[in-house]
Amino acid sequence: MEAAPVPDGQYTAVVYGLIGGGRCGEAVSLLSRELQKSCRSRGGLSLLGYCHYQLQDFAAAAECYEQLAALHPELEAYRLYQAQALYKAGLYAEALRAVGPLLDLPAYQGRALRLRAAIYYAQGDFPAAKSLVEEALAAAAEGGPGAAEDPSERADAEINLGCLLYRQGRHEEASSKFAGAMQVLGYCPELSYNMALCCYAAKQYAPALKHISDIIERGIHQHPELSVGMTTEGIDVRSVGNTLLLHRTALVEAFNLKAAIEYQLHNLKAAQEALTDMPPRAEEELDPVTLHNQALMNMDSQPTEGFEKLQFLLLQNPCPPETFGNLLLLYCKHQYYDLAADVLAENAHLTYKLLTPYLYNFLDAVITCQTAPEEAFHKLDDSSGPLIEQLRKLTKQVQEARQNWDDEAVKKAVSEYDETLDKYIPVLMAQAKIYWDMKNYTMVEKIFRKSVEFCNEHEVWKLNVAHVLFMQESKYKEAISFYEPIVKKHYDNILDVSAIVLANLCVSYILTSQNEDAEELMRKIEKGEEQLSYDNPDKNIYHLCIVNLVIGTLYCVKGNYDFGISRVIKSLEPYNKKLSTDTWYYAKRCFLSLLENMSKHMIMLRDSVIQECIQFLKQCELYGRNIPAVIEQPLEEKRMHSGKNTVTYEARLLRALMYKIIGWTA
């Protein structure tokens, strides 16, 4: 920002006025212009360094303090400020070099020790950081040269110890250190955030959200200028920038943690709102954690942008440690196995640093599966072995703790059991998927049966067992026994159940001659949709539509096209509410099957049904102009022609084929 010319004799007053008013950007512009005339001005350089630091441009601040340290070597404070700025800029090696000489100066030794500990902590060298923190605390206790000069410095050392305890997984002890420091320093948003983080790591989400709520409420009350929540409300507000004030409120950190908690609790909408509630900033101003969370939590709706953000973050130093693993997992989820393999190979140095052995072995097996499924199965088997052993061991511990009436031990063992089971389930599902892709459903069922002693209460396991029984086409009754409990669990909120689960259950009822049960379930879905339409008229609901589509598809597969196609057509009425990429996918498969059989003269349709089909396709042309026929892969290099990737285009093609087959001419 360009500063206005300053009248003679008012330069100092104007600069301090800008800084006092929080207009550090204008002060930087003014000071930079003056320093071009007098580059050795101590006052100018000092103020410029301060302003850069306030704006969190730490590299520029470090340059100012480096010049000051060279011009005034007798003032050691500038060397300390330089080291702090370098540390904040992530230039850890340079920061260590700058802080080194201060360790021999009694006046700066305590602060230098704590800064050096912070640098080692940021580098991940926790033993070295712990040694320095303990040295500072010991010096404080003995009143030596590194002793803390006042209670606040002692509290800083306790905070550092709390951070180290957090890294060791001793979350309760870490939280007590932060609470103790807060008693000395008074309420501090950063300490409240630290305590929230400890609760989050211990999976105590309610107290974590309480700390977060305190931070947000204080931030809104004390700093309304930070525009908290404005973006979510749809109000267009300017960026508040990355100021030191924003950093001290801990609002960005609090909203990111809130988003993470909601994400863990599967409240995706609440997680997305937490990210938009934070003070507004331009995309180039976003910190790495916010960028990472935006990518992760909007992956379903904006996969291309999500991948771009994660790829960008991986090239930054430092980047959130979760970035590497999440990018690899998302590549595998979207079936970009070659890209996942490339990222693993190109970042071998991060593999051992950021991936646990479990995650590395899992990713390695999933990637191997594409070229050597048998080898991948054995790799997954090797991973599952220790997990099964651990599950059996923990089962025994739970039983023993219950016999001893030790509630604390039961709670701990059950928590560990759930964590281990959450690791085992993905390995099991990856093994099952190998045979699922081969359409060897009998083998998939066999794999699931082997894991019944651990997984019989797990929702994912029960759902997939139901699917594999359904796919075998001879075990519909067994499939019903697995689908029914899932549906009955959510019977009062039937639309919370996946549409395909409801559809498969209806089909299973029909194929086992339980038509009344199928009709009752469909009536329940219809009532649920009517209620939701009344509460939210603009929301499109596809549950009953998909159930009817699947039933229609079933009749088409059995050769009863008259009834099957009519069911498909009726399921998409009204078209403006029911026609979508997913529903069109089911409908067009039935029409393609119909046209294929008609072209081979294997079936004959009544004229009335043919006319019904043509009218249906005309309606799809009319309402499908802005509906994609296929959702393209996010990283696809060659994109489909936008005019061809529409329901309208495909419906017109199908109508032309039908005219050709029935011999219709204009």
Side-chain angles (χ1 to χ4, degrees):
M1 189 180 294
E2 190 63 37
V6 179
D8 289 341
Q10 295 184 29
Y11 179 78
T12 304
V14 169
V15 169
Y16 278 101
L18 290 171
I19 293 170
R23 294 154 66 188
C24 289
E26 292 176 58
V28 164
S29 178
L30 188 59
L31 288 162
S32 300
R33 200 166 63 207
E34 284 301 314
L35 282 167
Q36 287 174 359
K37 302 173 190 173
S38 176
C39 62
R40 298 171 67 86
S41 165
R42 177 184 162 190
L45 281 168
S46 180
L47 286 170
L48 185 60
Y50 173 82
C51 289
H52 280 310
Y53 198 91
Q54 291 291 318
L55 293 168
Q56 297 198 46
D57 186 353
F58 300 116
E63 281 183 31
C64 292
Y65 291 125
E66 185 179 10
Q67 289 180 54
L68 284 163
L71 290 169
H72 303 280
E74 73 282 0
L75 297 173
E76 302 295 346
Y78 289 134
R79 192 173 292 279
L80 179 66
Y81 300 155
Q82 180 197 355
Q84 285 174 332
L86 288 166
Y87 158 66
K88 288 282 192 179
L91 301 167
Y92 302 127
E94 294 87 338
L96 282 171
R97 280 198 297 273
V99 80
L102 299 175
L103 293 167
D104 299 326
L105 301 174
Y108 293 96
Q109 190 182 61
R111 280 176 285 177
L113 276 172
R114 289 194 293 278
L115 179 55
R116 202 170 188 191
I119 295 166
Y120 282 132
Y121 182 86
Q123 288 179 313
D125 189 349
F126 303 124
K130 186 182 179 186
S131 172
L132 288 168
V133 168
E134 287 172 348
E135 187 183 334
L137 282 168
E142 295 166 9
E149 295 163 11
D150 57 49
S152 67
E153 291 199 9
R154 168 79 189 189
D156 283 345
E158 288 289 324
I159 292 167
N160 289 341
L161 197 57
C163 292
L164 287 163
L165 288 167
Y166 172 81
R167 283 292 184 179
Q168 291 169 0
R170 295 156 65 182
H171 305 121
E172 199 172 324
E173 294 172 64
S175 189
S176 67
K177 291 285 182 189
F178 299 135
M182 196 182 284
Q183 286 180 344
V184 175
L185 301 171
Y187 183 83
C188 174
E190 289 169 314
L191 288 176
S192 191
Y193 168 75
N194 286 354
M195 288 190 277
L197 198 59
C198 290
C199 295
Y200 171 75
K203 297 190 175 179
Q204 297 171 358
Y205 297 139
L209 287 168
K210 174 69 175 66
H211 287 299
I212 290 167
S213 177
D214 289 344
I215 295 168
I216 294 169
E217 283 175 18
R218 284 173 183 263
I220 293 170
H221 179 69
Q222 294 172 4
H223 301 286
E225 72 276 11
L226 292 177
S227 306
V228 170
M230 296 291 189
T231 307
T232 304
E233 296 295 326
I235 301 167
D236 191 17
V237 285
R238 60 181 294 181
S239 164
V240 299
N242 280 319
T243 60
L244 204 57
L245 169 67
L246 178 62
H247 176 67
R248 283 174 179 158
T249 61
L251 282 168
V252 169
E253 292 83 354
F255 278 117
N256 271 315
L257 187 56
K258 185 181 180 184
I261 291 170
E262 297 293 0
Y263 188 78
Q264 290 288 349
L265 296 172
H266 307 292
N267 301 328
L268 189 59
K269 190 177 178 185
Q272 290 167 339
E273 277 187 11
L275 293 179
T276 53
D277 276 345
M278 67 172 63
R281 291 170 295 165
E283 189 167 66
E284 62 272 14
E285 294 173 330
L286 294 178
D287 59 284
V289 174
T290 303
L291 207 60
H292 169 272
N293 288 347
Q294 280 187 353
L296 203 60
M297 290 165 203
N298 296 299
M299 204 71 195
D300 290 343
S301 56
Q302 298 173 325
T304 307
E305 292 88 337
F307 278 120
E308 284 172 359
K309 286 173 182 174
L310 292 174
Q311 288 161 352
F312 167 78
L313 283 172
L314 198 59
L315 300 173
Q316 306 308 301
N317 183 29
C319 76
E322 296 81 7
T323 305
F324 188 47
N326 285 337
L327 179 59
L328 291 167
L329 286 168
L330 286 165
Y331 274 151
C332 291
K333 179 184 175 182
H334 287 264
Q335 300 184 5
Y336 292 121
Y337 302 108
D338 291 344
L339 287 176
D342 290 344
V343 168
L344 266 178
E346 289 164 8
N347 297 278
H349 62 292
L350 297 177
T351 301
Y352 300 102
K353 186 180 174 184
L354 299 179
L355 298 183
T356 61
Y358 160 79
L359 185 53
Y360 173 76
N361 292 333
F362 177 75
L363 288 164
D364 180 45
V366 170
I367 292 166
T368 304
C369 182
Q370 309 318 303
T371 50
E374 194 174 327
E375 184 187 342
F377 188 88
H378 290 305
K379 283 185 176 184
L380 290 164
D381 221 27
D382 291 342
S383 292
S384 68
L387 293 170
I388 290 170
E389 220 173 281
Q390 180 71 358
L391 287 167
R392 289 198 174 115
K393 182 182 166 186
L394 289 165
T395 304
K396 190 178 177 185
Q397 284 180 17
V398 171
Q399 289 168 351
E400 287 173 356
R402 281 180 178 153
Q403 286 169 2
N404 298 330
W405 300 93
D406 188 343
D407 291 343
E408 195 58 41
V410 169
K411 188 179 173 184
K412 187 183 175 187
V414 167
S415 176
E416 285 182 32
Y417 183 92
D418 289 342
E419 282 181 25
T420 309
L421 187 60
D422 285 343
K423 288 182 179 178
Y424 175 61
I425 288 287
V427 175
L428 178 70
M429 294 303 154
Q431 283 184 301
K433 187 178 183 297
I434 292 170
Y435 286 100
W436 178 278
D437 291 343
M438 297 175 183
K439 294 186 167 47
N440 187 345
Y441 303 121
T442 308
M443 191 63 192
V444 176
E445 185 187 352
K446 190 177 174 184
I447 290 166
F448 286 151
R449 295 286 182 201
K450 281 182 181 177
S451 58
V452 70
E453 66 173 297
F454 308 115
C455 306
N456 64 332
E457 294 300 320
H458 200 285
E459 294 296 324
V460 172
W461 182 85
K462 288 192 283 189
L463 179 62
N464 282 290
V465 169
H467 287 332
V468 80
L469 291 168
F470 179 84
M471 291 302 292
Q472 290 180 67
E473 297 185 4
S474 60
K475 297 186 176 180
Y476 291 115
K477 282 191 176 177
E478 292 94 326
I480 289 169
S481 70
F482 280 93
Y483 279 132
E484 269 187 345
I486 296 169
V487 173
K488 283 177 179 173
K489 185 178 177 182
H490 301 280
Y491 204 67
D492 292 336
N493 297 297
I494 195 82
L495 300 183
D496 288 347
V497 182
S498 163
I500 202 66
V501 169
L502 296 170
N504 286 357
L505 180 57
C506 274
V507 167
S508 299
Y509 280 146
I510 292 165
L511 292 173
T512 53
S513 304
Q514 299 178 57
N515 290 358
E516 286 183 11
D517 291 331
E519 286 171 14
E520 186 188 337
L521 180 59
M522 291 177 76
R523 280 195 295 271
K524 180 69 177 174
I525 298 166
E526 191 172 8
K527 281 181 185 175
E529 288 197 356
E530 283 172 3
Q531 183 60 47
L532 193 59
S533 293
Y534 179 78
D535 296 338
N536 190 351
D538 297 327
K539 187 175 175 65
N540 291 340
I541 315 138
Y542 300 105
H543 281 64
L544 190 62
C545 170
I546 288 174
V547 170
N548 279 312
L549 280 169
V550 172
I551 292 170
T553 304
L554 169 71
Y555 279 97
C556 290
V557 168
K558 300 291 183 186
N560 187 349
Y561 283 97
D562 275 21
F563 181 81
I565 286 290
S566 295
R567 188 88 180 212
V568 167
I569 290 169
K570 283 182 173 59
S571 71
L572 285 170
E573 295 171 357
Y575 299 100
N576 63 324
K577 292 273 188 185
K578 302 298 182 185
L579 188 61
S580 72
T581 303
D582 288 337
T583 54
W584 174 246
Y585 169 77
Y586 287 104
K588 71 183 176 186
R589 289 170 72 200
C590 294
F591 273 85
L592 285 166
S593 171
L594 169 68
L595 292 169
E596 183 184 7
N597 282 294
M598 285 174 70
S599 66
K600 292 176 180 176
H601 302 288
M602 293 174 70
I603 57 164
M604 291 289 290
L605 279 186
R606 288 179 288 114
D607 287 351
S608 61
V609 176
I610 289 172
Q611 284 306 313
E612 196 180 355
C613 290
I614 289 167
Q615 287 307 312
F616 168 75
L617 292 171
K618 282 182 177 178
Q619 290 298 311
C620 289
E621 280 182 53
L622 181 64
Y623 288 99
R625 292 181 189 281
N626 299 316
I627 300 171
V630 217
I631 301 297
E632 292 184 86
Q633 285 291 335
L635 299 179
E636 202 67 53
E637 288 182 13
K638 192 175 180 182
R639 295 280 171 184
M640 291 176 68
H641 189 286
S642 58
K644 292 184 177 180
N645 186 22
T646 62
V647 169
T648 295
Y649 179 80
E650 289 193 352
R652 195 170 290 151
L653 274 180
L654 288 173
R655 189 156 62 94
L657 278 170
M658 183 159 275
Y659 284 148
K660 189 173 182 180
I661 288 165
I662 63 175
W664 181 88
T665 52

